[in-house]
Amino acid sequence: MERLERSGRWLRAALARGPLRRRLPWLLLAIVVLGSALKDSDLVPDTPLQNKRNPLNVYFVKVAWAWTLWLLLPFITLSTYELGRSKFLYGRTRSALLALRRLGALLVGTAVWYLCTELFIYIENLTGECSLQGKPSQPGQPPRLYASKRECQRDSGVWNGFDISGHCFLLSYCAMMILEELAVLEALAIERGSKLRVVINVLLVSLCSLTMIWVFMFLCTALYFHDFSQKILGVLIGLAAWYGTYRFWYLKPFSPGLPLPNIPLSSKKYSYSR
């Protein structure tokens, strides 16, 4: 338990404040550029991580939004409710409404994930064509035209289209969203030794571990998969989704709001304004 408390204190100091949130977007862009350069130069060694069936990819990245959603759900609920009661002296009903409003950020994130994923699939289907290697066409029959990657793969074909990196998009968006939500820890004070503090620390360590996995797998994607244009477009869309919500829309009255509500933008503690 003491080790958990020490880990929680260290992570609050390292991740809850603004500098890392400002630097991570540039780090992700640098990873794409340098990783792609190493890939194109054939300087990347062979490792199990280049196999799409590696455990981290199958059990984490493939369901990255689910992991992010189910860890942020209790963290946002508990931290926002406690913030409303301790920081702003709200009653239970108003604190619950504040938490419910902030959970709207997860609905927005789910919509962003779904719409962008569907857009990527649409673009790949629109720009691609099917290659049926080793499968001769029937005499007298015109070659079949395939409308989608799924139809092509159903006939054991290879679909060649512009495949925007969904990994680069989703991993960058999830990592930035987690760091933004951890900003609430700047203003959250919970009595040491309380059950709530233990739960918050467990969620904090879990979210930070998840973020490190996302960044590591983002690096693996940059080193082993996709073309540079597909990866840079994916990360730019992910960062644009983060910026458009947390740096623009969530500053407006009719929005889920920021993790630190009702704190003036000029406040020194409000790291979003710096």
Side-chain angles (χ1 to χ4, degrees), residues 80 83-84 87-88 90 98 101-102 184 187 256-264 270 272:
T80 306
L83 181 69
K87 183 72 176 181
F88 303 112
Y90 292 165
L98 178 62
R101 177 188 176 187
R102 288 265 38 264
V184 72
L258 292 168
L260 295 176
N262 299 338
I263 296 180
Y270 206 104
Y272 294 89

Side-chain angles (χ1 to χ4, degrees), residues 5 9 12 16 75 78-89 182-198 200-201 259-260 263 269:
E5 178 63 30
R9 287 201 303 269
R12 284 169 184 248
F75 179 82
L78 294 174
S79 61
T80 306
Y81 181 83
E82 182 63 21
L83 181 69
R85 298 194 64 187
S86 62
K87 183 72 176 181
F88 303 112
L89 303 179
L182 291 180
V184 72
L185 296 173
E186 290 189 56
L188 191 63
I190 305 175
E191 183 181 353
R192 187 171 180 175
S194 66
K195 292 182 180 179
L196 179 59
R197 189 180 180 96
V198 173
I200 291 293
N201 281 335
L260 295 176
I263 296 180
K269 294 201 68 174

Side-chain angles (χ1 to χ4, degrees), residues 119-157:
L119 176 63
F120 297 167
I121 294 173
Y122 174 77
I123 291 175
E124 187 177 11
N125 288 335
L126 187 66
T127 59
E129 59 181 15
C130 187
S131 174
L132 297 174
Q133 299 177 351
K135 187 175 181 180
S137 58
Q138 297 295 328
Q141 290 185 356
R144 179 181 174 183
L145 297 178
Y146 292 87
S148 69
K149 180 178 180 179
R150 180 176 297 180
E151 290 182 7
C152 175
Q153 292 179 336
R154 193 178 298 151
D155 284 353
S156 302

Side-chain angles (χ1 to χ4, degrees), residues 28 41 51 76 78 100 111 113 140 196 219 271 273:
L28 295 174
S41 302
N51 186 344
I76 292 175
L78 294 174
L100 188 62
W113 161 73
L196 179 59
L219 172 63
S271 56
S273 63

Side-chain angles (χ1 to χ4, degrees), residues 148-183:
S148 69
K149 180 178 180 179
R150 180 176 297 180
E151 290 182 7
C152 175
Q153 292 179 336
R154 193 178 298 151
D155 284 353
S156 302
V158 176
W159 187 260
N160 300 308
F162 189 74
D163 182 16
I164 299 174
S165 177
H167 279 30
C168 285
F169 153 72
L170 187 57
L171 295 176
S172 60
Y173 182 61
C174 287
M176 291 305 306
M177 186 174 184
I178 289 173
L179 289 187
E180 292 288 356
E181 294 300 335
L182 291 180

Side-chain angles (χ1 to χ4, degrees), residues 24-36 39 49 56-57 61 64 165-176 210-226 228 230-239:
L24 184 58
W26 299 107
L27 174 62
L28 295 174
L29 291 171
I31 288 174
V32 166
V33 173
L34 295 177
S36 298
K39 177 179 179 292
L49 293 170
L56 281 176
N57 193 54
V61 180
S165 177
H167 279 30
C168 285
F169 153 72
L170 187 57
L171 295 176
S172 60
Y173 182 61
C174 287
M176 291 305 306
L210 195 64
T211 303
M212 288 188 284
I213 293 175
W214 295 162
V215 174
F216 176 72
M217 292 307 294
F218 184 94
L219 172 63
C220 293
T221 300
L223 289 173
Y224 293 114
F225 303 102
H226 292 282
F228 172 72
Q230 297 168 348
K231 288 180 285 193
I232 196 68
L233 189 55
V235 69
L236 286 175
I237 292 174
L239 294 178

